[in-house]
Amino acid sequence: MSETSTRWSLSNFFVKQSKNHKIKIFVAVGVLLVIIFAGLFFCFFGCHRSEYASSAKLSSAYVAFSQGDKQKGINLLDETIAKYPKMPAAYQARIVRADIFTEAKEYSEALKLLRETVSFGKPAVIKPLANVRIIYVYDSKVDYLNAIDASKEFIDKYPDHFLVKDIYLNLAKYYLILGSKDEAVKVFNEVLVNFPATKEAEKAQTKLNEIKYMQIQ
């Protein structure tokens, strides 16, 4: 039997079976649809239940902090991250926990949480906030070279973010601290070009005037 005739015979067989066992097929299809919709329902319900539970735990952490019970707040943050690692509340918890780690000078732990948030955080608006915290961590540990790299990364990723003007000014500050005046001048001029008629532009111009005055002396 040729391949074509074999395919034709098989298709005929399934057509006949569907006619002879129509009720059984409808029942089977019905059961399959019930299973599919049940799975979707439980997934939907489970996701929302997890989202509610994670948000409630994060809220409890905030309440604990507001009441002065820092350790309880930290424990609740850790539980939120451990039990609901992919929920939005867990990424918010990561940022707060990273701030606490930074305050305690546990910089590697802070950076770990922030990098997780930069890579996988949701909603997406939380990612640039984690990026800013990374700059802050490097600033806190007086690691200005990495602070410069993190600042450049932020500027490249989020050129229209409302914090980008401040990031530019901080970047220029890091260059000045490291003695790279030419790089600082370049950044200040970028602020003037990209954000004219802003307070940040005024600050950049003031710094440029100071640098020019120092060079004249």
Side-chain angles (χ1 to χ4, degrees):
M1 184 179 293
S2 69
E3 184 180 353
T4 304
S5 60
T6 300
R7 289 178 180 171
W8 185 87
S9 299
L10 288 172
S11 63
N12 259 358
F13 171 78
F14 286 119
V15 169
K16 289 179 181 178
Q17 289 300 309
S18 66
K19 289 179 179 178
N20 294 334
H21 304 283
K22 188 178 293 184
I23 294 177
K24 290 182 180 179
I25 289 174
F26 282 150
V27 171
V29 170
V31 170
L32 179 61
L33 289 174
V34 169
I35 292 172
I36 291 172
F37 282 116
L40 290 174
F41 172 79
F42 285 116
C43 176
F44 178 82
F45 178 75
C47 291
H48 278 267
R49 183 174 59 185
S50 295
E51 188 169 347
Y52 174 80
S54 61
S55 297
K57 194 169 286 292
L58 180 62
S59 296
S60 297
Y62 290 149
V63 170
F65 285 124
S66 69
Q67 293 175 344
D69 194 340
K70 183 177 180 180
Q71 190 54 55
K72 182 179 179 180
I74 289 173
N75 292 341
L76 287 166
L77 290 176
D78 290 341
E79 287 177 21
T80 305
I81 296 167
K83 291 184 177 180
Y84 312 99
K86 296 182 180 180
M87 290 289 106
Y91 290 109
Q92 293 179 45
R94 282 178 174 88
I95 286 184
V96 178
R97 192 68 177 92
D99 285 345
I100 296 170
F101 276 130
T102 302
E103 183 183 5
K105 298 184 179 181
E106 296 180 47
Y107 301 119
S108 60
E109 295 297 326
L111 288 170
K112 177 184 175 183
L113 293 176
L114 292 171
R115 285 175 180 141
E116 288 175 1
T117 306
V118 168
S119 297
F120 309 109
K122 52 186 178 181
V125 293
I126 204 169
K127 292 184 178 184
L129 300 180
N131 247 128
V132 170
R133 291 300 207 287
I134 289 175
I135 299 170
Y136 172 68
V137 171
Y138 285 128
D139 188 300
S140 298
K141 63 185 297 193
V142 197
D143 184 352
Y144 297 124
L145 288 176
N146 276 316
I148 286 172
D149 289 340
S151 298
K152 288 180 177 179
E153 181 182 349
F154 185 96
I155 291 168
D156 288 340
K157 281 185 175 180
Y158 312 107
D160 300 319
H161 196 273
F162 72 94
L163 289 173
V164 76
K165 297 189 290 293
D166 295 311
I167 301 302
Y168 269 106
L169 292 178
N170 279 335
L171 175 58
K173 181 192 74 173
Y174 298 138
Y175 279 129
L176 288 175
I177 290 172
L178 294 176
S180 301
K181 289 184 180 180
D182 290 342
E183 292 298 326
V185 167
K186 181 180 177 181
V187 174
F188 285 134
N189 281 319
E190 287 178 7
V191 173
L192 295 179
V193 171
N194 295 328
F195 312 105
T198 63
K199 290 182 179 179
E200 290 75 17
E202 291 178 8
K203 291 178 181 179
Q205 186 61 64
T206 298
K207 284 294 183 182
L208 286 170
N209 293 340
E210 289 176 2
I211 293 171
K212 186 176 180 180
Y213 176 79
M214 292 297 294
Q215 288 173 337
I216 292 173
Q217 297 302 309

